[in-house]
């Protein structure tokens, strides 16, 4: 017989997800402690133990960023910013039905925000295709190794126009410099 879990409202997890300056979602060790009913110092210790035991320190740097916040006395206190993977890696260690419910809520919230960000990126790409329709074929053909003349002919453009579009693509980060 399986017990029905009473999942937390997914918005309760989503309200403690934030976007970094590079547009990636993260949560904090304080939010994890609060939602999972743990003391923040316990969560900090769990993160430090994880980081010390990691066989790949780069995973730790990518997914657990040291940060700080101001407490009630306006004093800086340590915390970590956790990516989706960092959260999942940490939360795997929490047990019990309530912890499992919060794990699901956080993962659903991360997935929803990441889907929204992908959709936004796709809308920007579609808009760029409409505003600059030559960029995509020029980038794709350049990456495939075609020369300017071979790209220009089917597009009805001159090789100089292909050079112009390649420069624009490089400025936009669509082609390597």
């Amino acid at each position: 017989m399986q017990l029905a879990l009473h999942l937390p409202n997914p918005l309760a997890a989503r309200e403690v997800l934030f976007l970094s300056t590079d547009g990636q979602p993260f949560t904090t060790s304080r939010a994890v402690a609060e939602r999972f009913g743990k003391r923040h110092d316990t969560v900090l210790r769990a993160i430090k133990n994880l980081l010390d035991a990691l066989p790949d320190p780069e995973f730790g740097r990518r997914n657990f960023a040291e940060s700080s916040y101001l407490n009630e006395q306006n004093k800086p206190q340590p915390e970590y910013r956790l990516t989706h993977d960092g959260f999942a890696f940490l939360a795997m260690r929490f047990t019990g039905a309530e912890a499992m419910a919060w794990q699901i809520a956080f993962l659903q919230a991360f997935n929803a925000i990441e889907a929204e960000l992908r959709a936004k990126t796709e809308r920007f790409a579609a808009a760029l295709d409409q505003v600059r329709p030559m960029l995509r074929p020029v980038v794709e053909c350049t990456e495939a190794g075609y020369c300017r003349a071979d790209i220009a002919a089917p597009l009805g453009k001159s090789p100089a126009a292909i050079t112009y579009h390649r420069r624009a693509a490089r400025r936009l980060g669509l082609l390597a410099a």
Side-chain angles (χ1 to χ4, degrees):
M1 180 172 117
Q2 199 172 23
L3 294 175
L5 284 178
H6 297 287
L7 294 177
N9 179 339
L11 295 177
R14 186 170 178 139
E15 69 187 18
V16 292
L17 294 183
F18 311 97
L19 288 180
S20 65
T21 54
D22 65 352
Q24 296 304 307
F26 72 90
T27 191
T28 65
S29 53
R30 285 188 307 137
V32 170
E34 179 184 322
R35 296 303 190 266
F36 282 82
K38 300 190 176 297
R39 290 172 39 116
H40 187 230
D41 63 326
T42 303
V43 172
L44 288 175
R45 189 170 36 259
I47 292 171
K48 287 177 186 169
N49 289 341
L50 283 175
L51 294 174
D52 289 344
L54 279 176
D56 178 11
E58 184 57 31
F59 179 86
R61 281 190 286 282
R62 280 192 319 268
N63 296 293
F64 297 91
E66 288 186 51
S67 187
S68 64
Y69 69 97
L70 297 177
N71 67 9
E72 299 82 24
Q73 291 83 34
N74 234 12
K75 293 181 182 177
Q77 297 295 313
E79 73 175 353
Y80 281 91
R81 291 181 171 196
L82 290 71
T83 65
H84 183 158
D85 288 346
F87 165 78
F89 193 65
L90 173 66
M92 279 190 247
R93 277 116 182 105
F94 301 152
T95 59
E98 189 174 342
M100 191 181 308
W102 277 110
Q103 290 163 346
I104 291 168
F106 266 88
L107 292 173
Q108 287 173 334
F110 266 114
N111 289 334
I113 287 178
E114 289 166 350
E116 290 168 14
L117 292 171
R118 276 191 304 278
K120 185 177 185 180
T121 299
E122 290 168 8
R123 287 193 306 274
F124 279 125
L128 183 60
D129 282 346
Q130 288 182 356
V131 174
R132 302 294 285 283
M134 290 296 125
L135 280 179
R136 187 179 299 268
V138 168
V139 167
E140 289 172 352
C141 290
T142 299
E143 288 174 337
Y146 290 96
C147 70
R148 291 181 317 139
D150 290 342
I151 298 170
L155 295 175
K157 298 288 181 183
S158 70
I162 300 308
T163 299
Y164 167 81
H165 289 295
R166 282 180 173 174
R167 283 187 188 130
R170 283 186 183 94
R171 278 193 313 272
L172 294 168
L174 300 172
L175 282 174

